[in-house]
Amino acid sequence: MRAANFHPGFVAKNAIQTAGPRDGEDDKALKKRADRAYVDAMRNFLDDFYDRVAVPSGLARIGPKKRRLTRAEWQQEKNQAQALKKTVERARQVKASGEQFVARTKDEAAAIRAAANMEKEVAAKATAVARAVHDSARRAHEQATEAVSFASRYSGLAGRVRALWDGLRKSKIAATIRLEFSSEIEHAKAFARSVQNRLKEEETRRIAAERKAHEAAQDAERARDAAVRMQIERDRAWSLVPPERQQELAAVGPAMKMTLRPKASKEKS
């Protein structure tokens, strides 16, 4: 339960003393090296405390008395610390909102891609059904053509039968044959018309599905453009941080990648 076991300065000093003196090093030099390790460890500890606590709270690293600052200089340094605090808070907010927007945009783009893929599958199925209906209509048309040819042959045969019966106006057998085949022809024509109507409907649905897929792809492209613009805005906010503070801010969180172009090249473009 000794707090010294967790004190960073004591831990560094005890490690030097436990390792013992180096070759040609006396006890005085060992003690001096251990004290230096203590000071370095405590300085690193205070630097870490400054980055993690003082900067977000708007505090300075060292007070004014030790450096013999005037009241005006100390007031200016405190104002700079407050400005740095606001800049860090703004950078964190922009970073968090940018990450949320990018994540939300990725989810929306994934949903749009999934919907587009589904629309493509529906269009593919509709195309397959349309082709099947077209093949069925073609076969029906061929059957109807054969039926008409067959009926024509019977009609010629009926004429020869009427001639054999010496001027009979109409043979009952021939009339029955013509009646039966005429109904089949009309049925085939009606079926062909229904097939053509179904083909038109399937073609309309296919075109609508392809249009939806194209619109979904455009929405996904616009979502990616919005994500890129958000990344640029986040980098622009990061560029407002003074260059001398960027290395210190890197210890607070992951560094933000700069992608902005110089102003001169932007004006030329």
Side-chain angles (χ1 to χ4, degrees):
M1 300 297 292
R2 291 176 59 86
N5 294 333
F6 303 97
H7 191 283
F10 288 145
V11 170
K13 183 176 181 179
N14 293 335
I16 297 296
Q17 292 177 345
T18 301
R22 297 173 179 174
D23 295 339
E25 187 179 33
D26 55 5
D27 293 340
K28 184 177 180 180
L30 175 63
K31 184 177 182 302
K32 185 177 180 180
R33 186 160 57 88
D35 292 340
R36 173 54 56 187
Y38 177 90
V39 173
D40 293 339
M42 292 306 299
R43 181 177 288 109
N44 294 332
F45 173 76
L46 293 177
D47 289 340
D48 181 69
F49 180 84
Y50 172 73
D51 291 334
R52 294 175 180 270
V53 180
V55 171
S57 300
L59 303 177
R61 173 66 172 80
I62 304 175
K65 292 183 178 180
K66 187 174 183 179
R67 293 176 292 163
R68 300 182 183 278
L69 299 177
T70 64
R71 184 177 183 85
E73 291 174 344
W74 174 239
Q75 189 65 32
Q76 182 180 3
E77 186 170 343
K78 289 196 296 183
N79 292 336
Q80 291 176 353
Q82 289 294 328
L84 178 60
K85 171 189 174 182
K86 294 180 180 179
T87 302
V88 171
E89 290 178 351
R90 178 58 180 168
R92 287 180 176 176
Q93 292 176 359
V94 171
K95 180 181 178 182
S97 61
E99 292 175 350
Q100 292 177 358
F101 179 79
V102 170
R104 185 171 62 254
T105 303
K106 288 182 179 179
D107 294 339
E108 292 176 355
I112 291 173
R113 285 194 297 268
N117 293 332
M118 185 176 297
E119 292 292 342
K120 288 182 180 179
E121 292 178 358
V122 172
K125 291 180 180 179
T127 302
V129 172
R131 290 177 179 175
V133 172
H134 178 72
D135 294 339
S136 178
R138 182 176 53 80
R139 289 193 298 268
H141 179 70
E142 292 176 354
Q143 292 176 0
T145 302
E146 293 178 357
V148 170
S149 177
F150 187 67
S152 298
R153 288 195 300 270
Y154 267 92
S155 178
L157 179 60
R160 289 191 295 271
V161 170
R162 285 197 304 273
L164 293 176
W165 283 97
D166 294 328
L168 287 177
R169 297 183 61 186
K170 200 172 192 179
S171 175
K172 293 183 179 180
I173 298 175
T176 303
I177 293 173
R178 283 195 298 270
L179 181 61
E180 290 178 358
F181 278 97
S182 62
S183 62
E184 291 181 1
I185 292 172
E186 291 298 329
H187 179 72
K189 290 181 179 180
F191 178 74
R193 287 193 296 268
S194 65
V195 168
Q196 290 179 354
N197 294 332
R198 290 181 58 188
L199 281 173
K200 292 181 180 178
E201 294 176 357
E202 294 297 335
E203 182 67 17
T204 302
R205 285 195 291 268
R206 183 183 64 80
I207 294 174
E210 291 179 353
R211 184 174 62 254
K212 290 182 179 179
H214 179 67
E215 293 175 354
Q218 290 182 343
D219 292 340
E221 185 67 23
R222 286 193 291 269
R224 287 193 292 269
D225 293 341
V228 172
R229 289 195 297 271
M230 190 60 198
Q231 178 70 24
I232 293 175
E233 290 298 328
R234 186 182 69 177
D235 294 341
R236 190 187 302 279
W238 176 254
S239 65
L240 297 177
V241 179
E244 62 273 10
R245 300 302 302 164
Q246 291 183 1
Q247 293 182 352
E248 297 179 1
L249 294 178
V252 179
M256 302 174 70
K257 184 177 180 181
M258 301 298 295
T259 58
L260 289 178
R261 297 181 177 178
K263 183 180 292 184
S265 62
K266 184 176 181 181
E267 291 177 355
K268 292 180 180 180
S269 61

